[in-house]
C-alpha cells in the first residue's frame, strides 16, 4: 500500500470533492431532473450500512475489508493511521431498492506480508472514512491478525480408575492459538455431548466432568481443540470404572452330611453382589462356613425280662409275656424280633407229652457237653502258651503244624530293580522310584539314629487255633492300653492316657531327636531352600527382600517333642512340623513353602487345617484348606501342600476325618538281616505314613541295624473305618525253615496305625534254618486292613552270612542339605516374569488381568488373597514355581499365556499396524525354548 502525507492526501481528496461539487452545480438541468426522482440528502452526514469486521489471515491468503455508506460522495480506508492509496480501493455505487438512496461500497485487500511488516503497539487495524456535503463519518476499527494453532496441549487429560458412582474429572488445556481454540470431547472416537446426557458436564474451562460414573462410562477419552487454522488431538486418557466385589446372602445350611452321629453342615455365599469387574477388589472373608451337627442315631428296641408264669390252665398250659421297652425303639429304630408271649405244658406230660420236649432235652444236653469240652481245650492251650511264652513275637508258619511238606522252587533276585538286594550287591537305599528327590544319608559317628520302639499291643492269630475252635484271636498284652474306635467315628480313638488328661494331640518326628535344618543368605534376587529327602522346601520370590538388604533364612523340621492344642482329639498329623525364619523377617511378598502329606485329599471326607505355633507354644488354627482366607493361601495336591505365608513361624498340617471313607496313605517296606551268632533270620515289616520324611527315618534306622531292603516299598491306602491292620507271613519253605507256632499273623489296632503321626510301626518275624547250608529264603508278606485293601511284598533273598566290609553298608551319597540363590533357582526368567506381571497386574476393559492368569493356571480359588497383594501376578507365578519345582515343565505356563493371547485377539481385534503391549506369542516361544536350556538345578551347600 502506497503511503502518503496525510495533509497532501487530504488536499487531493478535497480537491476531488470540489471538482465533483462544481460538476454538480454546472449541470443544473440534470440535477433538477434528479430531484424529481431521488430524495434530498441535504443536511445528512454519511451513515455506514456495513462497517469493516475483524479478520484473520489463514496461511498466505489475503483478506477483504468492506464498507458501505449512504449518502456518501466518497469512501476511503485508513490503516494504522495512514490512508490507503486510491489505487488499492475497489468501489462501486448502487441504489438501495428500499430507500432509493445511493449506496457507495468500497473494498480493500490486506495481505499477510502487510500484517507481518507492521510493528506497532497494537494489532494491525483499518477503518473507513466517508464524505458527504456536510462532512465526514468514521467507521469502527477492524483488526487483522494472522491465525495459527500450536501443536502441543498445555495440559493433556490423564487416565483414571474410579469406583462406580464416583465422580470423573478430566482436565484439558488446549494449545495456544489465534483465534482461541474451541474444545470438544471424544469417547471412543464419538462426540460427547452434555445436551443429550445430564450426567455429563462440559465446562467453559474445557474440563469434562461425569457426576456419577457408570460402567458404560469406561472408555478412551480424547480432547479435541480446533480453530479456523487446524485441529489438534490430545493424548488418549483411559477411564476404567471398576466395581468392588460384594458378598451375596448366605445360603441355607445344608443337611448334615452323615445319617447318624457327628457330621458337618455347610453354607456358602458368592462374591457376586456385585461381582468384581475391571480389576475391582475381591470380597474379603470366607465363602464357606462349616458347623458341626449331631444326628440322633436309631435305637433298636430290646426285650425286657419275661414275666412270671401264669397258673396252669385247664388245657395244661401256662403263659408268660415280655415287652419291647428295654429300650423302646426310638429315632427310626427297629422293633424287637421274636414273640412277646410264650406258652408251655405245665403237667410234665401227665396231660400231654410232646415229641419236641424230648428233642429239646437232647439238644441242651449236647450243648452242655460241648461247652465242657471247649473249656478243657482252652485250659490246655493256655498251659501250652504259658510254657512257650519265651517265643515273644517271633513267628512260624502255621502250616508246619499239619506235618505236610510242599515243593520249593527258589527264584533269584529280579533284575533291574535297584531297591532289591542279591548275594553279590549291597543295597543302595539312595535310589528309588518312590520320591522325586534322592534319599540321602549323613554320617553321625557313634550316634543312635533309631530310638527303641515303644512296647505295643500285638494281636496274633493262627489257622491252627481257628481250626481248633478255641478262639478267634489270642492277645499278647504289653504296655500300650487297648483302645476302641467307635463305629460312629467318635473322637476317642487317638487318645492316650496322658493326652486324655491334657486334651493334646502329640506330634513327634520319627526316630532322631535332632532337627533337620538348612539355611542360606538371601537378597533381592531371592532363591530356594530344600531339605533333602523330606518333601519340604521354601521358595523366596524375586523382589521379596529389599534391595541392598539380605536375610539369613532357614527351614527346619522339628523332630523333638511337640504338641497341637485341639478342641477335640480327632485330628492327626498329615506331614512333618516345619519352621521357617528368622522371627521378625520383613518381606515385600509372601514366601512359598511346600510340605509333603499322606492324605487322600477329599473335601467330603476330610477337614484339613493349617495350624501355627503361637509365642506361648500353643497351636492355633490359621485356616481350613477348603475355606477362603486373606491371611494365607493353601493349595493341596495329591502328595504335597503348597503354602503362601506372610509370617515366619512353625506350621503343621493336621486332618480330621469326617466320615469313615477318609483315607491316608501308608508306605509298607520289609527289611531283613541275620542275627549275630545265630542261624535265625529276622524279617522286619514297617508301616509308616507315606511321606519322604517319615520313610527316611525308617531307612536311617535300618542302616544302624545292618538291615537289607528286600522288596521295593509299596503304598497301602488305610481307611478310617476303625478296623485294624494285619501283617502275616506266607509260603515259607517248610523243609528249609521253621517258624514258632501261633505267630504267623500279627495285628496293629486301628488307633496305633491311624494316630501314628509320622511315627513308624514295625513288627518282626524270626525264622530258623534247619541247616546252615540253607542260603536262600523266599516268602510273601501280606499287609492288609480288615475290610480294606491289601499289599503283598514278595521276598527273594540270599541269607549267607557276610564278613564285615570296610565300606559302609549304606553308601554315603554326595547329597547334602542344599540351597540355591539368584536366577538359577527359578524356572521362569526374571525378564519374562517382569513382563508378565506388568501385563496382568494392570486391569483393563478387556478383562486380561491377573484373575484370568490365575484361571488359566488352575489357581482360581481364594482370589481374595491374591487381590490384597501389591503384585497379584508375581504371587501367582511364585505359587506356580513351587508347584512345579520337580517337573521343570514350562509348557503349561506357555500354553496358558498363548491361550490368553488368543482369547484377547478374538475379543479385541487390532489394526494390522497396532501392537498390543505386554506378553506376546513370542514370549511363549521363549518360555518353551527356556525349558530346553534349564537343567535340573545344581544346589550348593
Amino acid at each position: 500500500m502506497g503511503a502518503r502525507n496525510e495533509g497532501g492526501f487530504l488536499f487531493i481528496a478535497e480537491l476531488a470533492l470540489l471538482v465533483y461539487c462544481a460538476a454538480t452545480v454546472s449541470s443544473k438541468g440534470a440535477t433538477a431532473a434528479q430531484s424529481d426522482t431521488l430524495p434530498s440528502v441535504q443536511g445528512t452526514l454519511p451513515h455506514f450500512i456495513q462497517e469493516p469486521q475483524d479478520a484473520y489471515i489463514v496461511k498466505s491468503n489475503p483478506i477483504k475489508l468492506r464498507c458501505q455508506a449512504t449518502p456518501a460522495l466518497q469512501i476511503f480506508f485508513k490503516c494504522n493511521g495512514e490512508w490507503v492509496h486510491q489505487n488499492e480501493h475497489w468501489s462501486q455505487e448502487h441504489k438501495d431498492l428500499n430507500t432509493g438512496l445511493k449506496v457507495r461500497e468500497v473494498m480493500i485487500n490486506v495481505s499477510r506480508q502487510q500484517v507481518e511488516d507492521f510493528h506497532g503497539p497494537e494489532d494491525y487495524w483499518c477503518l473507513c472514512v466517508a464524505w458527504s456535503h456536510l462532512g465526514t463519518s468514521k467507521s469502527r476499527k477492524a483488526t487483522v491478525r494472522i491465525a495459527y494453532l500450536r501443536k502441543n496441549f498445555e495440559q493433556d487429560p490423564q487416565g483414571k480408575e474410579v469406583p462406580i458412582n464416583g465422580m470423573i474429572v478430566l482436565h484439558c488445556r488446549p494449545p495456544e492459538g489465534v483465534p482461541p481454540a474451541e474444545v470438544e470431547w471424544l469417547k471412543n472416537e464419538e462426540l460427547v455431548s452434555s445436551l443429550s446426557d445430564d450426567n455429563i458436564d462440559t465446562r467453559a474451562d474445557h474440563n469434562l466432568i461425569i457426576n456419577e460414573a457408570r460402567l458404560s462410562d469406561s472408555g478412551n477419552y480424547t480432547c479435541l481443540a480446533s480453530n479456523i487454522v487446524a485441529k489438534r488431538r490430545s493424548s488418549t486418557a483411559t477411564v476404567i470404572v471398576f466395581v468392588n466385589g460384594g458378598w451375596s446372602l448366605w445360603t441355607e445350611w445344608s443337611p448334615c452330611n452323615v445319617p447318624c452321629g457327628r457330621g458337618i453342615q455347610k453354607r456358602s455365599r458368592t462374591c457376586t453382589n456385585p461381582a468384581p469387574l475391571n480389576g475391582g477388589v475381591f470380597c474379603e472373608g470366607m465363602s464357606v462356613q462349616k458347623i458341626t451337627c449331631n444326628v440322633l442315631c436309631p435305637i433298636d428296641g430290646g426285650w425286657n425280662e419275661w414275666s412270671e408264669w401264669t397258673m396252669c390252665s385247664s388245657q395244661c398250659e401256662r403263659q408268660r409275656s415280655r415287652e419291647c421297652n428295654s429300650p423302646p425303639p426310638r429315632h427310626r429304630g427297629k422293633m424287637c424280633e421274636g414273640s412277646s408271649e410264650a406258652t408251655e405244658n405245665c403237667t410234665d406230660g401227665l396231660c400231654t407229652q410232646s415229641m419236641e420236649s424230648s428233642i429239646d432235652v437232647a439238644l441242651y444236653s449236647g450243648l452242655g457237653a460241648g461247652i465242657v469240652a471247649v473249656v478243657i481245650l482252652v485250659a490246655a492251650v493256655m498251659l501250652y502258651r504259658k510254657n512257650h511264652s519265651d517265643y515273644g513275637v517271633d513267628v512260624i508258619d502255621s502250616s508246619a503244624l499239619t506235618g505236610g511238606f510242599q515243593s520249593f522252587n527258589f527264584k533269584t533276585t529280579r533284575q533291574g530293580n535297584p531297591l532289591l538286594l542279591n548275594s553279590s550287591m549291597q543295597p543302595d537305599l539312595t535310589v528309588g522310584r518312590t520320591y522325586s528327590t534322592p534319599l540321602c544319608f549323613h554320617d553321625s559317628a557313634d550316634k543312635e539314629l533309631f530310638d527303641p520302639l515303644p512296647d505295643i499291643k500285638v494281636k496274633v492269630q493262627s489257622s491252627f487255633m481257628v481250626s481248633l475252635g478255641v478262639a478267634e484271636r489270642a492277645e499278647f498284652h504289653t504296655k500300650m492300653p487297648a483302645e476302641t474306635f467307635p463305629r460312629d467315628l467318635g473322637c476317642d480313638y487317638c487318645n492316650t492316657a496322658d493326652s486324655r488328661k491334657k486334651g493334646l494331640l502329640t506330634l513327634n518326628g520319627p526316630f532322631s531327636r535332632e532337627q533337620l535344618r538348612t539355611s542360606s543368605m538371601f537378597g533381592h534376587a531371592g532363591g530356594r531352600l530344600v531339605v533333602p529327602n523330606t518333601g519340604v522346601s521354601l521358595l523366596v520370590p524375586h523382589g521379596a527382600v529389599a534391595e541392598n538388604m539380605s536375610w539369613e533364612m532357614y527351614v527346619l523340621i522339628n523332630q523333638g517333642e511337640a504338641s497341637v492344642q485341639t478342641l477335640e482329639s480327632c485330628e492327626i498329623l498329615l506331614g512333618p512340623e516345619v519352621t521357617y525364619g528368622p522371627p521378625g523377617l520383613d518381606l515385600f511378598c509372601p514366601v512359598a513353602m511346600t510340605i509333603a502329606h499322606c492324605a487322600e485329599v477329599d473335601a467330603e471326607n476330610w477337614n484339613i487345617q493349617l495350624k501355627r505355633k503361637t509365642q506361648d507354644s500353643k497351636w492355633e488354627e490359621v485356616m481350613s484348606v477348603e475355606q477362603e482366607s486373606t491371611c494365607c493361601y493353601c493349595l493341596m495336591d495329591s502328595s504335597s501342600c503348597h503354602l503362601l505365608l506372610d509370617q515366619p513361624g512353625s506350621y503343621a498340617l493336621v486332618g480330621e476325618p469326617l466320615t469313615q471313607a477318609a483315607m491316608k496313605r501308608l508306605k509298607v517296606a520289609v527289611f531283613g538281616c541275620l542275627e549275630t551268632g545265630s542261624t535265625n533270620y529276622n524279617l522286619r515289616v514297617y508301616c509308616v505314613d507315606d511321606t519322604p520324611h517319615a520313610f527316611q527315618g525308617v531307612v536311617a534306622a535300618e542302616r544302624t541295624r545292618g538291615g537289607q531292603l528286600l522288596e521295593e516299598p509299596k503304598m497301602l491306602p488305610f481307611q478310617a473305618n476303625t478296623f485294624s491292620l494285619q501283617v502275616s507271613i506266607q509260603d515259607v519253605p517248610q523243609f528249609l525253615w521253621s517258624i514258632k507256632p501261633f505267630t504267623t499273623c500279627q495285628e496293629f489296632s486301628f488307633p496305633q496305625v491311624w494316630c501314628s503321626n509320622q511315627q513308624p510301626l514295625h513288627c518282626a518275624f524270626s525264622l530258623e534254618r534247619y541247616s546252615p547250608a540253607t542260603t536262600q529264603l523266599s516268602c510273601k508278606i501280606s499287609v492288609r486292613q480288615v475290610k480294606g485293601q491289601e499289599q503283598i511284598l514278595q521276598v527273594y533273598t540270599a541269607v549267607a552270612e557276610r564278613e564285615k566290609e570296610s565300606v559302609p553298608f549304606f553308601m554315603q551319597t554326595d547329597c547334602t542339605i542344599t540351597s540355591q540363590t539368584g536366577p538359577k533357582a527359578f524356572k521362569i526368567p526374571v525378564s519374562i516374569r517382569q513382563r508378565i506381571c506388568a501385563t496382568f497386574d494392570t486391569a483393563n476393559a478387556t478383562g486380561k488381568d491377573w484373575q484370568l492368569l490365575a484361571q488359566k493356571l488352575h489357581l482360581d480359588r481364594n482370589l481374595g488373597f491374591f487381590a490384597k497383594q501389591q503384585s497379584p501376578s508375581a504371587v501367582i507365578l511364585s505359587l506356580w514355581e513351587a508347584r512345579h519345582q520337580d517337573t521343570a515343565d514350562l509348557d503349561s505356563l506357555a500354553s496358558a499365556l498363548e491361550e490368553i493371547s488368543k482369547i484377547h485377539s478374538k475379543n479385541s481385534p487390532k489394526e494390522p499396524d497396532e501392537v498390543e503391549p505386554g506378553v506376546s506369542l513370542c514370549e511363549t516361544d521363549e518360555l518353551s525354548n527356556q525349558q530346553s536350556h534349564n537343567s535340573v538345578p545344581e544346589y550348593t551347600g
Side-chain angles (χ1 to χ4, degrees):
M1 178 181 66
R4 295 287 186 274
N5 180 270
E6 184 176 354
F9 188 81
L10 283 174
F11 173 76
I12 296 173
E14 291 173 355
L15 182 61
L17 182 60
L18 291 174
V19 172
Y20 176 78
C21 293
T24 305
V25 172
S26 61
S27 55
K28 294 181 179 179
T31 305
Q34 290 177 355
S35 62
D36 297 334
T37 58
L38 295 175
S40 175
V41 296
Q42 298 297 323
T44 303
L45 289 174
H47 169 69
F48 285 97
I49 300 175
Q50 180 181 359
E51 295 183 281
Q53 301 297 317
D54 296 339
Y56 298 94
I57 295 178
V58 178
K59 297 182 180 180
S60 298
N61 300 321
I63 56 98
K64 299 181 185 298
L65 297 179
R66 289 184 174 87
C67 275
Q68 290 184 5
T70 184
L73 298 177
Q74 192 60 273
I75 302 176
F76 289 99
F77 271 94
K78 192 176 186 179
C79 294
N80 301 319
E82 295 182 355
W83 292 101
V84 179
H85 195 275
Q86 184 178 5
N87 295 336
E88 298 178 9
H89 289 71
W90 177 87
S91 64
Q92 65 177 2
E93 191 176 48
H94 66 275
K95 183 172 66 175
D96 190 339
L97 299 178
N98 295 325
T99 63
L101 296 176
K102 288 184 179 180
V103 176
R104 180 171 293 274
E105 179 181 1
V106 178
M107 180 181 68
I108 64 171
N109 289 332
V110 180
S111 67
R112 181 185 184 97
Q113 187 66 38
Q114 289 174 304
V115 177
E116 290 179 346
D117 291 343
F118 172 72
H119 301 285
E122 55 185 354
D123 293 332
Y124 190 100
W125 60 268
C126 293
L127 58 80
C128 294
V129 179
W131 281 266
S132 70
H133 293 286
L134 296 181
T136 62
S137 297
K138 294 182 179 180
S139 70
R140 63 177 296 273
K141 286 183 178 181
T143 59
V144 179
R145 304 176 66 184
I146 298 175
Y148 68 92
L149 183 62
R150 302 194 183 279
K151 293 184 178 181
N152 297 326
F153 279 72
E154 295 183 5
Q155 182 179 4
D156 285 304
Q158 302 296 319
K160 295 180 179 293
E161 294 183 7
V162 295
I164 193 168
N165 297 327
M167 176 178 287
I168 303 175
V169 179
L170 297 179
H171 298 278
C172 176
R173 293 175 62 188
E176 178 187 354
V178 173
E182 296 181 356
V183 172
E184 296 176 312
W185 285 91
L186 301 178
K187 173 191 171 185
N188 298 332
E189 303 304 324
E190 294 183 0
L191 188 64
V192 176
S193 174
S194 60
L195 299 178
S196 60
D197 191 345
D198 295 336
N199 195 38
I200 297 178
D201 185 7
T202 54
R203 298 294 181 90
D205 57 1
H206 311 306
N207 295 335
L208 175 66
I209 299 177
I210 301 177
N211 297 314
E212 293 185 1
R214 302 155 296 191
L215 288 176
S216 59
D217 292 326
S218 297
N220 297 321
Y221 287 81
T222 307
C223 182
L224 182 64
S226 62
N227 64 6
I228 60 176
V229 179
K231 292 184 178 181
R232 300 284 186 257
R233 294 171 59 95
S234 70
S235 61
T236 300
T238 300
V239 174
I240 298 176
V241 180
F242 62 86
V243 179
N244 293 328
W247 288 115
S248 65
L249 296 177
W250 287 102
T251 62
E252 296 295 331
W253 288 104
S254 65
C256 201
N257 66 333
V258 294
C260 170
R262 181 175 177 272
I264 61 171
Q265 288 179 282
K266 299 179 183 179
R267 68 173 182 176
S268 61
R269 57 181 178 175
T270 57
C271 190
T272 56
N273 187 32
L277 292 175
N278 298 335
V281 178
F282 199 82
C283 303
E284 293 188 2
M286 297 183 299
S287 63
V288 178
Q289 283 186 343
K290 295 182 181 180
I291 59 173
T292 58
C293 55
N294 287 282
V295 180
L296 297 176
C297 295
I299 299 177
D300 296 337
W303 294 111
N304 62 356
E305 296 293 332
W306 287 100
S307 64
E308 296 294 332
W309 288 104
T310 62
M311 298 296 293
C312 193
S313 67
S314 59
Q315 287 80 22
C316 302
E317 292 179 345
R318 59 179 181 177
Q319 290 84 26
R320 64 176 180 177
S321 62
R322 58 180 177 177
E323 295 182 356
C324 186
N325 58 9
S326 184
R330 287 180 295 173
H331 314 311
R332 307 177 306 280
K334 297 180 181 179
M335 291 293 296
C336 303
E337 296 183 358
S339 176
S340 61
E341 295 182 352
T343 303
E344 71 172 9
N345 188 279
C346 56
T347 59
D348 295 331
L350 296 180
C351 213
T352 60
Q353 182 68 30
S354 173
M355 184 63 68
E356 294 178 357
S357 299
S358 301
I359 297 175
D360 290 342
V361 172
L363 177 61
Y364 293 144
S365 300
L367 288 177
I371 291 174
V372 173
V374 170
V375 171
I376 296 174
L377 184 56
V378 169
V381 171
M382 296 302 292
L383 289 175
Y384 180 86
R385 286 178 55 191
K386 182 177 181 180
N387 294 333
H388 296 78
S389 60
D390 59 321
Y391 289 163
V393 294
D394 295 339
V395 300
I396 186 170
D397 194 316
S398 60
S399 59
L401 299 175
T402 63
F405 294 89
Q406 56 184 353
S407 61
F408 171 72
N409 182 18
F410 179 79
K411 299 180 181 179
T412 59
T413 304
R414 289 169 284 183
Q415 300 298 324
N417 190 341
L419 288 174
L420 305 182
L421 305 177
N422 56 35
S423 59
S424 62
M425 182 176 67
Q426 295 298 331
D428 184 2
L429 295 184
T430 65
V431 181
R433 299 200 308 258
T434 306
Y435 305 110
S436 59
T437 55
L439 292 173
C440 302
F441 306 99
H442 306 276
D443 292 333
S444 56
D446 301 327
K447 179 68 178 177
E448 182 63 37
L449 297 180
F450 184 83
D451 295 336
L453 291 179
D455 292 333
I456 60 175
K457 171 184 173 182
V458 180
K459 295 183 179 181
V460 300
Q461 64 181 15
S462 70
S463 57
F464 174 68
M465 296 179 65
V466 174
S467 65
L468 292 178
V470 176
E472 181 181 356
R473 293 173 184 167
E475 297 184 1
F476 294 97
H477 295 275
T478 56
K479 295 180 182 179
M480 180 172 285
E483 296 288 347
T484 301
F485 185 37
R487 289 296 183 263
D488 61 350
L489 204 68
C491 295
D492 296 332
Y493 56 88
C494 287
N495 288 348
T496 62
D498 292 336
S499 64
R500 278 195 301 267
K501 295 177 182 178
K502 300 178 182 179
L504 301 179
L505 175 64
T506 301
L507 301 183
N508 294 324
F511 303 99
S512 174
R513 296 184 183 274
E514 295 181 351
Q515 291 179 336
L516 295 177
R517 188 179 191 275
T518 180
S519 63
S520 182
M521 295 294 296
F522 290 98
H524 186 71
R528 192 190 303 267
L529 286 175
V530 176
V531 184
N533 314 319
T534 61
V536 175
S537 64
L538 182 74
L539 184 139
V540 182
H542 174 82
V545 180
E547 294 186 15
N548 303 323
M549 285 282 294
S550 62
W551 288 89
E552 182 179 6
M553 301 179 63
Y554 62 84
V555 176
L556 62 87
I557 299 178
N558 184 13
Q559 302 189 103
E561 296 294 330
S563 61
V564 170
Q565 180 76 38
T566 58
L567 297 177
E568 299 182 26
S569 53
C570 299
E571 297 173 336
I572 63 172
L573 186 64
L574 300 178
E577 175 191 337
V578 181
T579 301
Y580 90 91
L585 185 64
D586 185 16
L587 300 177
F588 289 117
C589 60
V591 299
M593 178 185 291
T594 299
I595 303 176
H597 66 82
C598 62
E600 290 290 337
V601 181
D602 186 347
E604 296 298 327
N605 300 324
W606 280 103
N607 179 23
I608 300 178
Q609 298 177 349
L610 179 67
K611 295 199 172 184
R612 177 174 55 209
K613 184 181 291 185
T614 60
Q615 294 182 353
D616 54 356
S617 297
K618 294 183 180 180
W619 289 84
E620 64 179 0
E621 178 184 347
V622 179
M623 68 173 294
S624 174
V625 298
E626 293 301 322
Q627 296 177 353
E628 296 189 355
S629 172
T630 57
C631 63
C632 65
Y633 190 99
C634 183
L635 175 65
M636 294 292 292
D637 282 341
S638 59
S639 59
S640 297
C641 173
H642 308 286
L643 306 171
L644 293 176
L645 304 172
D646 290 321
Q647 301 179 14
S650 298
Y651 293 87
L653 196 67
V654 299
E656 176 187 4
L658 301 178
T659 68
Q660 294 190 11
M663 192 176 297
K664 74 172 185 176
R665 302 185 308 276
L666 299 178
K667 185 66 66 177
V668 179
V670 57
F671 292 81
C673 66
L674 278 172
E675 288 186 8
T676 305
S678 171
T679 60
N680 292 348
Y681 191 81
N682 289 332
L683 295 177
R684 288 183 292 276
V685 182
Y686 289 87
C687 299
V688 63
D689 290 346
D690 186 15
T691 61
H693 171 244
F695 188 70
Q696 184 189 19
V698 173
V699 176
E702 281 298 319
R703 185 178 74 121
T704 62
R705 294 187 170 189
Q708 297 176 336
L709 183 63
L710 304 181
E711 168 70 307
E712 66 180 75
K714 295 185 178 181
M715 191 275 290
L716 175 67
F718 190 78
Q719 196 170 348
N721 58 8
T722 73
F723 290 101
S724 58
L725 186 71
Q726 295 178 349
V727 183
S728 61
I729 184 170
Q730 304 170 4
D731 298 344
V732 178
Q734 299 175 3
F735 61 93
L736 296 177
W737 297 88
S738 64
I739 311 174
K740 296 177 182 179
F742 315 127
T743 56
T744 59
C745 181
Q746 302 184 30
E747 182 171 345
F748 297 108
S749 65
F750 176 82
Q752 289 176 294
V753 182
W754 187 256
C755 306
S756 59
N757 290 328
Q758 304 289 297
Q759 291 276 34
L761 300 173
H762 92 289
C763 61
F765 298 95
S766 181
L767 294 85
E768 183 177 359
R769 288 181 289 184
Y770 287 119
S771 171
T774 301
T775 59
Q776 306 291 345
L777 170 63
S778 69
C779 62
K780 293 180 181 179
I781 302 295
S782 170
V783 183
R784 63 179 292 270
Q785 183 184 15
V786 178
K787 295 187 178 181
Q789 302 190 38
E790 179 182 20
Q791 280 288 6
I792 299 294
L793 300 174
Q794 186 71 57
V795 176
Y796 300 108
T797 184
V799 295
E801 185 174 2
R802 299 179 178 87
E803 296 182 359
K804 186 175 182 180
E805 300 177 353
S806 59
V807 180
F809 189 77
F810 287 81
M811 303 299 293
Q812 177 72 28
T813 67
D814 194 24
C815 183
T816 60
I817 296 177
T818 57
S819 65
Q820 192 175 33
T821 59
K824 290 185 178 180
F826 305 98
K827 307 252 181 329
I828 306 174
V830 176
S831 59
I832 295 181
R833 178 188 180 95
Q834 291 174 345
R835 283 175 3 211
I836 292 175
C837 295
T839 300
F840 292 101
D841 282 343
T842 303
N844 54 59
T846 61
K848 193 180 71 170
D849 57 9
W850 61 266
Q851 297 184 25
L852 183 58
L853 178 65
Q855 176 186 355
K856 296 304 178 182
L857 294 180
H858 308 292
L859 302 174
D860 53 344
R861 59 175 300 272
N862 199 6
L863 295 180
F865 178 81
F866 297 129
K868 76 167 189 174
Q869 304 300 324
Q870 182 177 3
S871 174
S873 300
V875 179
I876 292 172
L877 294 179
S878 297
L879 183 60
W880 184 92
E881 286 265 10
R883 191 178 193 183
H884 296 84
Q885 59 182 313
D886 296 328
T887 60
D889 180 14
L890 291 174
D891 288 342
S892 61
L893 178 59
S895 299
L897 295 178
E898 184 175 359
E899 185 176 352
I900 293 173
S901 178
K902 291 180 179 178
I903 293 175
H904 182 64
S905 298
K906 293 179 181 179
N907 294 338
S908 301
K910 302 288 182 184
E911 295 296 330
D913 59 344
E914 186 173 355
V915 179
E916 172 69 19
V919 179
S920 63
L921 289 177
C922 297
E923 295 188 19
T924 62
D925 296 336
E926 186 175 347
L927 280 174
S928 300
N929 295 334
Q930 182 72 24
Q931 181 177 348
S932 61
H933 297 295
N934 284 345
S935 58
V936 177
E938 297 178 359
Y939 291 97
T940 57

